Amino acid sequence: MIDYGKRPEITNGELEENSSEKELISSKYYTVKNIKVTEKKKDINKESFMIYTILDGSGSIKSENRKIEVKTGDSVLIPCAVEVEMSGEISFLRISV
């Protein structure tokens, strides 16, 4: 049962200098991170699916079987336990449950 009265911890969304990842919201039910990729970054979540929402920039997301091009405004669903590699200049939200 979800406790709608309990609020998640929310932090400032600005990335710190020399940082490429910052947790924005963390709760028992979901996590939201602000991530910036300047070249390449690998990512996997073995417990749940992930949703990427591209905030700025463009690049590609590649898995073992597929590669897609992404740009500002796109959202992508990454299935559980699928390793992906992002490349390009991309700033995005990573939502996982």
Side-chain angles (χ1 to χ4, degrees), residues 13-68:
E14 297 297 317
L15 290 173
E16 296 173 16
E17 191 173 332
N18 299 323
S19 175
S20 62
E21 186 171 318
K22 180 164 187 173
E23 193 168 88
L24 303 177
I25 301 173
S26 179
S27 79
K28 180 178 173 181
Y29 305 104
Y30 64 95
T31 302
V32 179
K33 292 183 178 182
N34 181 359
I35 300 175
K36 184 174 185 175
V37 175
T38 55
E39 290 183 19
K40 291 186 178 185
K41 177 177 176 59
K42 289 187 177 186
D43 194 13
I44 187 169
N45 186 336
K46 295 182 179 182
E47 298 174 7
S48 174
F49 65 88
M50 298 178 290
I51 299 171
Y52 295 158
T53 299
I54 311 303
L55 301 174
D56 190 36
S58 63
S60 65
I61 300 174
K62 181 175 83 169
S63 69
E64 184 178 324
N65 301 319
R66 192 168 180 193
K67 179 179 179 180
I68 60 169

